Amino acid sequence: VSTQSTGELISLVRVLLGSFFHFMKPTAILGFLCLGFLVVVAQQKFESCFWGGGYVTITTSAPITQGAVSCEWQDFFDLSSIKTRSGIFNSSTVITCPVPMWATGVIANLTTIVGGVRLPIEELELHYVDCIQSVSGLNDSCVTGSSSISIYSTTEFVNSASIQYYCDFVGQPSVRVFPSGTFLRCPLPSVKGTYALSLSARDTQLSDAASSSSLGVASTDCSYLAPKISLVSPTSGCSWGTDFIVTGSGFDISNSGFIVCRYLTEKSGEKLVEGRFIDGQTVICPSPVVNPQRMTVEVSNDNVIFSTASANITINSCMGTVSPTSGCYDQSQTLTIPRTLR
């Protein structure tokens, strides 16, 4: 690049990849930012898990003072498929671009938009892959003592309140599961048969979704019994959340690795939370944050088959009288709000 023909050389750009990536080539991308365009001098290929969660960091040798930054990711083979994320100014010379989730097989490239100026990084290829290390239990069944499929990933599943994971069996409803580190279990369908299996991820905050390729074909000849609820204590709780003790029979996490509590609320619809398994007769079900209303709770060992609903639980505001009720404008006051369960 000639500075005589392009004007003053603005900056040297270095692209680094954050966690959750696998390097296909270990060297960083180097390019020159001239006249608003990034000319990359060496093509690089990187991999990301289909559930996303990584980031790209762009470092410049000269400060950037042009305002907001956006990161525009585009499917290399489907130019109409674009996902835009808000970039972050870590400093005047460092920009971080979050990586969205995308289906396995997609190849994406990145364009940064700084102060309305588009700066394409055209030679950056981000390849989305399954990131699955092993799958076991596909050919097992209840006859051989297994009723779930064990899946290990090559890197940890992203743990975020907005990201949910599902086991998808063709012809059956998707089953939400709760990974731990690099491991998750997919409960086999409750209906006997043979089913192709894949995983999917959903970001409820960004209304985004992505899926893996097929992970194999599972078969089952199992028949399951639902757990039973006999008592929930206490019978009322607070709108900011209460740990309800659910007693009954048939609670079991040996196959799925988790226990699920499903609240059916009077005004807020269905709320799904992960319970805490105590033993075969006891589960702790944390209630969701909801406005005062009535609701019931159901329990499932696999998020497939649920118990019948409990008796009604009443959720109260649990807010008493605030004191003091007056004070001076130039003096601080400590307000006491006693907790009530009426």
Side-chain angles (χ1 to χ4, degrees):
V1 178
S2 170
T3 57
Q4 285 79 14
S5 60
T6 61
E8 182 182 359
L9 183 63
I10 298 175
S11 62
L12 179 66
V13 177
R14 180 179 54 183
V15 179
L16 305 175
L17 269 83
S19 56
F20 306 107
F21 281 92
H22 305 276
F23 290 91
M24 293 177 69
K25 293 182 179 179
T27 57
I29 292 178
L30 297 179
F32 294 100
L33 186 61
C34 300
L35 298 181
F37 295 92
L38 179 66
V39 181
V40 178
V41 298
Q43 186 178 42
Q44 300 293 305
K45 297 179 181 180
F46 302 96
E47 292 182 346
S48 174
C49 303
F50 73 88
W51 57 79
Y55 58 89
V56 167
T57 298
I58 301 172
T59 303
T60 68
S61 59
I64 300 174
T65 58
Q66 293 179 300
V69 57
S70 294
C71 306
E72 183 180 279
W73 296 91
Q74 185 177 45
D75 187 335
F76 186 81
F77 296 108
D78 181 5
L79 301 184
S80 65
S81 181
I82 297 174
K83 296 186 178 184
T84 303
R85 298 291 181 265
S86 296
I88 302 170
F89 274 115
N90 298 92
S91 69
S92 61
T93 59
V94 179
I95 299 172
T96 297
C97 285
V99 174
M101 57 179 61
W102 231 319
T104 292
V106 166
I107 299 176
N109 51 40
L110 172 64
T111 296
T112 57
I113 306 172
V114 182
V117 178
R118 298 177 64 84
L119 309 174
I121 309 178
E122 295 178 349
E123 299 302 321
L124 168 62
E125 289 188 5
L126 185 57
H127 294 239
Y128 283 83
V129 297
D130 288 334
C131 287
I132 301 302
Q133 183 177 33
S134 64
V135 180
S136 62
L138 285 170
N139 299 320
D140 291 340
S141 67
C142 290
V143 173
T144 58
S146 174
S147 57
S148 66
I149 299 168
S150 298
I151 298 177
Y152 286 91
S153 64
T154 55
T155 188
E156 290 191 1
F157 293 97
V158 175
N159 185 12
S160 167
S162 66
I163 296 182
Q164 302 173 349
Y165 296 90
Y166 293 83
C167 298
D168 301 317
F169 294 95
V170 173
Q172 296 293 311
S174 296
V175 179
R176 185 181 173 186
V177 292
F178 302 87
S180 176
T182 60
F183 175 72
L184 66 76
R185 289 178 178 173
C186 287
L188 285 164
S190 58
V191 179
K192 297 180 181 181
T194 301
Y195 309 93
L197 168 66
S198 61
L199 294 180
S200 61
R202 304 174 192 175
D203 191 324
T204 57
Q205 182 177 0
L206 298 173
S207 300
D208 201 2
S211 60
S212 72
S213 59
S214 176
L215 301 182
V217 177
S219 62
T220 176
D221 57 6
C222 298
S223 59
Y224 299 97
L225 294 176
K228 296 180 179 180
I229 294 177
S230 58
L231 180 67
V232 177
S233 178
T235 57
S236 63
C238 298
S239 58
W240 54 70
T242 300
D243 284 348
F244 288 101
I245 302 173
V246 180
T247 56
S249 61
F251 303 138
D252 184 12
I253 62 171
S254 61
N255 291 324
S256 68
F258 58 82
I259 203 90
V260 173
C261 305
R262 182 170 67 185
Y263 287 92
L264 305 178
T265 69
E266 189 176 35
K267 302 176 182 178
S268 306
E270 180 181 302
K271 302 290 185 179
L272 197 70
V273 299
E274 186 174 6
R276 298 198 298 271
F277 176 81
I278 305 300
D279 55 41
Q281 291 78 43
T282 309
V283 170
I284 304 296
C285 285
S287 66
V289 177
V290 293
N291 291 324
Q293 58 189 294
R294 292 182 301 176
M295 59 187 184
T296 60
V297 65
E298 304 169 347
V299 175
S300 173
N301 296 329
D302 55 11
N303 202 17
V304 177
I305 300 178
F306 283 82
S307 68
T308 55
S310 69
N312 278 329
I313 300 168
T314 302
I315 300 298
N316 301 297
S317 66
C318 297
M319 303 290 279
T321 303
V322 178
S323 63
T325 58
S326 62
C328 298
Y329 75 91
D330 59 350
Q331 295 179 358
S332 63
Q333 294 281 356
T334 300
L335 301 181
T336 302
I337 308 175
R339 178 178 181 271
T340 67
L341 287 174
R342 64 174 185 273

